[in-house]
Amino acid sequence: MELKPLAALCVLLAFVVVASATKVELETTEAQSSYIVHVAPAHAPRLPRRGLLTTVAYSSFLREHVPVEMCNPAPRVLYSYSHAATGFAARLTERQAARLACSRSVLAVVPDKRQELHTTLTPSFLRLSATSGLLPESNGAADVVIGVIDTGVYPEGRPSFAAYPSLSPPPSKFRGGCVTVPSFNGSALCNNKLVGAKFFHKGDEAARGRSVSATEEEPESPLDINGHGTHTSSTAAGSAVPNAAFYDYARGKAVGMAPGARIAVYKVCWRDGCADSDILAAFDEAIADGVDIISLSLGAADQAPEFYDDASAVGAFRAVTRGILVSASAGNAGPGESTASNVAPWFLTVGASTINRQFPADVVLGSNETFTGTSLYAGEPLGANKVPLVYGGDVGSNTCEEGKLNASIVAGKIVLCDPGVNARVEKGLAVKVAGGVGAILASTEAYGEQALSSPHIHPTTAVAFSYAEKIKKYISSQASPTATIVFHGTVIGSTPPSPQMASFSSRGPNFRAPEILKPDVTAPGVDILAAWTGANSPTELDVDTRRVQYNIISGTSMSCPHVSGIAALLRQARPEWSPAAVKSALMTTAYNVDNAGGIIGDMSTGNASTPFARGAGHVDPNRAVDPGLVYDAGTEDYVTFLCALGYTAEQVAVFDPAANCSTRLGSSVGNHNYPAFSVVFTSNKSSVVTQRRVVLNVGTNVSAMYRAKVTSPAGVRVTVSPEQLQFRAAQKTQEYRVTFTQGPGSVAGKYTFGSIVWSDGEKHTVTSPVTVTWPVSQVAEM
């Protein structure tokens, strides 16, 4: 349910109340759901100290605004918010929620929804060196606190969370800390590295109707029994650990992007997901604690919601306006169009790409044809002798579901399994249970060239869709097909080229604001080694009794903390920069060429990627520290953006209660001061779009002159005015306009791409991607 349906109930509410009042008693107790209630600041309780009696105050608010005849059952406050939002979360019936939505004291009543997780070598791949560049210049970000909103942390026996002797106490501005509960002794587990650990579960509990620990599934504490939060937090800022590995895979030094930064963990995700009310409570706490960066590796389960209906977007807005950069994962719903989540312009949204490391496991057929797959299987390998090979669809289950495979046929054989229905690691397990000696997992057709590595408990490899089709053809054409699987361990090299965009990485165009490019950048997110929980196996299967200190997993959840850590380094090296300036520096200095000299590829197509997949490009930390120019933005810019979207006064007030859209009439989404240009032509008639930008000179040459170089997208004439920008000591900012003129005729494809580059002729090139979306009527048939 969105805001409008709730507001519409106001019209009927009086009649409902009168009708129900004529009854002696309600025949049944109405069901309650969780809602987030945004309160107009003038009507919010005034509290003298942080967190004092807020639940009591909002309970009184509910008694004042919900009639007694509607209080069966009584409303119940879960959280109060004063930093990430103004208001509270509560259990309400639909009629109670509608009543509040009618009140002038309330800006919005939003149903509490669930978000989902967006489930080493990378410092060297990113060229982060202890002797030169950003890492020593920032002192490893020792004065920066990264808040990680995730599944918690498992610090016990994990050296990634150890405080090395030279690490000083956390900065005095940080006001957070670690809770102590039966399953998590904060005073013993926290230190100068792990400086905060808290948990938020009231929204999850209310949705489930019972305590999270009622069945002893999960302790009510910051303890991570999943592994995801331990992995992301150690990726962002884990201490250096030599000789780390997942068994013998990826062996080397494991270290976070910002090894000196402090970690504060806010657990919001439980077995059933992550409730919006818990997420907003974590944002509220992180802002109050004084973190510098928030790392958010989760997002909407479906398409990106309206910004006012998105707890993460609301919390992130309040964080950014207080100078806290929020790095967020783009999502794992690729390669489809407009699948990216966390698409508000105040997020730093991160896609996922590969590094120059693989874990190949070859399928060798009886014909000696070889198809390279990928695997993290760490047990006894298969021998060189080939064994019988069958297709799951011929032996009971094409997707290899446990209990459906014919054990009498599968015994002693390798089974080829189709994707879907069950998890990859479950397919190998199903083959093992049926007596098979190994499994070959086909990837989905949409993933193209990509297959995903998994820490299998049975000899298993995953191959690309096209390879699986060839293996199927071999099986069907042979009377006695055979195969074996050869595991090659860890291979580092220049082939295939890297980086490449992961097929799963969510894409643009931006579903909610097409004139804002998303994702912003890409970073390593495929087969990333980082710390893991001791409370869960690497496969997360109940039958897997293995426990490891490190695990290798993939997702934009992994790329996001890479950028969170890099942003921490930049925050320390350039403390005067705003969150928007940090994002701008990362975007305009990103690179778009792989190690073979070609445009970064897209594994889903086998062709060059586009800015809708890679954003402005792959992050380059050492260049970002000296970008030359930045595109800055602040609260006023973001409010103008919201007004330009056509949001109502109440919807904008959810973000900034003092905002007044009447003073921003005529504002354009395309004029938001973003480091990229996205143009949407809506008619096949010749049209002109003009967008304006302001750049700030942050280079050492206060009198620098920059000249523009334009690479026009096909079908568009791009004009920049002025074509050169002259800066002075007294004039650090300059404005320019870009005019996009739609050409006649048709174009090949719905989208065309280009770039605008400002150069000072010396060391700085400031690059902005350009995307153009065309009306269907002007797209030529291919």
Side-chain angles (χ1 to χ4, degrees), residues 141-148 170-176 192-196 237 260-266 286 289-295 324-325 564 568 571-572:
D143 294 332
V144 176
V145 179
I146 302 176
V148 182
S172 58
K173 63 182 176 60
F174 180 69
R175 299 177 292 277
N192 287 341
K193 166 59 70 175
L194 181 61
V195 297
R262 320 311 172 100
I263 299 168
V265 169
Y266 303 86
D289 285 347
V291 303
D292 301 287
I293 308 287
I294 291 176
S295 188
I324 302 167
L325 183 141
S564 303
R571 171 54 56 88
Q572 175 105 8

Side-chain angles (χ1 to χ4, degrees), residues 44-124:
R46 291 290 181 264
L47 301 168
R49 287 189 291 145
R50 173 188 170 193
L52 179 65
L53 299 177
T54 51
T55 299
V56 174
Y58 277 116
S59 295
S60 298
F61 180 94
L62 282 171
R63 285 194 294 272
E64 293 171 6
H65 289 79
V66 178
V68 66
E69 63 268 19
M70 296 178 63
C71 289
N72 184 16
R76 177 165 59 90
V77 175
L78 302 176
Y79 291 112
S80 62
Y81 308 117
S82 57
H83 303 283
T86 301
F88 59 96
R91 294 290 287 176
L92 305 167
T93 67
E94 187 175 20
R95 292 193 311 141
Q96 292 165 352
R99 178 72 181 213
L100 287 171
C102 297
S103 171
R104 292 185 178 180
S105 300
V106 173
L107 299 172
V109 181
V110 182
D112 193 7
K113 299 180 295 297
R114 285 194 182 275
Q115 299 190 32
E116 60 183 20
L117 297 165
H118 290 156
T119 294
T120 157
L121 179 68
T122 47
S124 61

Side-chain angles (χ1 to χ4, degrees), residues 48-349:
R49 287 189 291 145
R50 173 188 170 193
L52 179 65
L53 299 177
T54 51
T55 299
V56 174
Y58 277 116
S59 295
S60 298
F61 180 94
L62 282 171
R63 285 194 294 272
E64 293 171 6
H65 289 79
V66 178
V68 66
E69 63 268 19
M70 296 178 63
C71 289
N72 184 16
R76 177 165 59 90
V77 175
L78 302 176
Y79 291 112
S80 62
Y81 308 117
S82 57
H83 303 283
T86 301
F88 59 96
R91 294 290 287 176
L92 305 167
T93 67
E94 187 175 20
R95 292 193 311 141
Q96 292 165 352
R99 178 72 181 213
L100 287 171
C102 297
S103 171
R104 292 185 178 180
S105 300
V106 173
L107 299 172
V109 181
V110 182
D112 193 7
K113 299 180 295 297
R114 285 194 182 275
Q115 299 190 32
E116 60 183 20
L117 297 165
H118 290 156
T119 294
T120 157
L121 179 68
T122 47
S124 61
F125 184 80
L126 291 164
R127 296 188 286 274
L128 284 171
S129 167
T131 58
S132 63
L134 177 58
L135 197 56
E137 186 169 347
S138 65
N139 190 32
D143 294 332
V144 176
V145 179
I146 302 176
V148 182
I149 298 177
D150 212 294
T151 65
V153 66
Y154 192 98
E156 186 173 1
R158 300 299 181 265
S160 294
F161 301 101
Y164 50 83
S166 61
L167 190 61
S168 61
S172 58
K173 63 182 176 60
F174 180 69
R175 299 177 292 277
C178 297
V179 300
T180 292
V181 290
S183 61
F184 193 94
N185 185 345
S187 60
L189 294 173
C190 292
N191 51 38
N192 287 341
K193 166 59 70 175
L194 181 61
V195 297
K198 300 178 181 181
F199 65 101
F200 305 86
H201 61 97
K202 293 178 183 177
D204 181 83
E205 282 188 345
R208 291 203 283 180
R210 57 182 172 81
S211 166
V212 295
S213 60
T215 59
E216 298 184 357
E217 290 179 339
E218 189 163 12
E220 292 183 359
S221 80
L223 188 69
D224 178 16
I225 70 162
N226 176 284
H228 189 275
T230 301
H231 199 281
T232 56
S233 54
S234 63
T235 298
S239 298
V241 183
N243 203 34
F246 174 71
Y247 291 95
D248 209 34
Y249 288 104
R251 187 168 296 281
K253 183 170 74 171
V255 59
M257 298 302 100
R262 320 311 172 100
I263 299 168
V265 169
Y266 303 86
K267 181 176 180 177
V268 300
C269 297
W270 307 82
R271 287 189 182 274
D272 293 339
C274 324
D276 274 356
S277 56
D278 294 334
I279 294 168
L280 195 58
F283 267 105
D284 205 67
E285 193 75 8
I287 293 169
D289 285 347
V291 303
D292 301 287
I293 308 287
I294 291 176
S295 188
L296 188 75
S297 287
L298 52 87
D302 301 309
Q303 284 185 307
E306 291 282 5
F307 300 130
Y308 58 76
D309 202 21
D310 182 352
S312 293
V314 173
F317 180 97
R318 295 290 186 95
V320 168
T321 59
R322 289 161 173 77
I324 302 167
L325 183 141
V326 182
S327 172
S329 51
N332 301 335
E337 294 181 359
S338 297
T339 50
S341 59
N342 299 317
V343 294
W346 47 87
F347 282 117
L348 172 49
T349 311

Side-chain angles (χ1 to χ4, degrees), residues 364-582:
V364 183
L365 302 179
S367 62
N368 286 325
E369 281 187 282
T370 299
F371 300 99
T372 297
T374 183
S375 181
L376 296 167
Y377 171 68
E380 188 69 25
L382 296 178
N385 294 332
K386 300 180 180 68
V387 300
L389 172 66
V390 294
Y391 169 51
D394 297 329
V395 292
S397 174
N398 68 308
T399 55
C400 297
E401 294 180 71
E402 187 173 347
K404 294 186 178 181
L405 292 171
N406 189 328
S408 63
I409 302 176
V410 170
K413 297 180 177 65
I414 293 174
V415 184
L416 173 64
C417 308
D418 285 337
V421 180
N422 52 349
R424 297 186 303 274
V425 290
E426 291 175 332
K427 297 177 189 293
L429 174 61
V431 171
K432 178 182 180 181
V433 170
V437 299
I440 302 167
L441 310 186
S443 185
T444 63
E445 185 173 8
Y447 276 19
E449 298 177 347
Q450 185 166 31
L452 297 177
S453 307
S454 298
H456 297 285
I457 60 175
H458 198 53
T460 303
T461 186
V463 298
F465 175 82
S466 61
Y467 288 173
E469 291 299 294
K470 292 177 180 179
I471 296 170
K472 284 182 187 177
K473 186 175 181 180
Y474 165 77
I475 292 172
S476 64
S477 66
Q478 299 293 312
S480 300
T482 60
T484 190
I485 303 172
V486 180
F487 300 92
H488 295 286
T490 305
V491 175
I492 298 172
S494 58
T495 304
S498 59
Q500 295 185 78
M501 291 309 303
S503 300
F504 60 75
S505 187
S506 292
R507 316 297 168 97
N510 189 323
F511 182 68
R512 290 297 172 189
E515 295 89 348
I516 301 295
L517 179 68
K518 290 292 175 174
D520 294 311
V521 292
T522 187
V526 177
D527 291 338
I528 303 303
L529 176 77
W532 192 249
T533 178
N536 199 4
S537 68
T539 62
E540 301 183 50
L541 294 173
D542 291 338
V543 299
D544 186 359
T545 59
R546 297 177 298 173
R547 295 295 182 266
V548 296
Q549 286 203 344
Y550 297 90
N551 199 5
I552 296 172
I553 55 178
S554 299
T556 55
S557 281
M558 285 64 256
S559 56
C560 168
H562 278 86
V563 174
S564 303
I566 294 167
L569 298 176
L570 290 171
R571 171 54 56 88
Q572 175 105 8
R574 300 289 182 264
E576 71 278 10
W577 285 3
S578 69
V582 173

Side-chain angles (χ1 to χ4, degrees), residues 662-673:
S662 65
T663 63
R664 308 165 198 267
L665 297 177
S667 57
S668 165
V669 173
N671 280 339
H672 182 70
N673 204 41

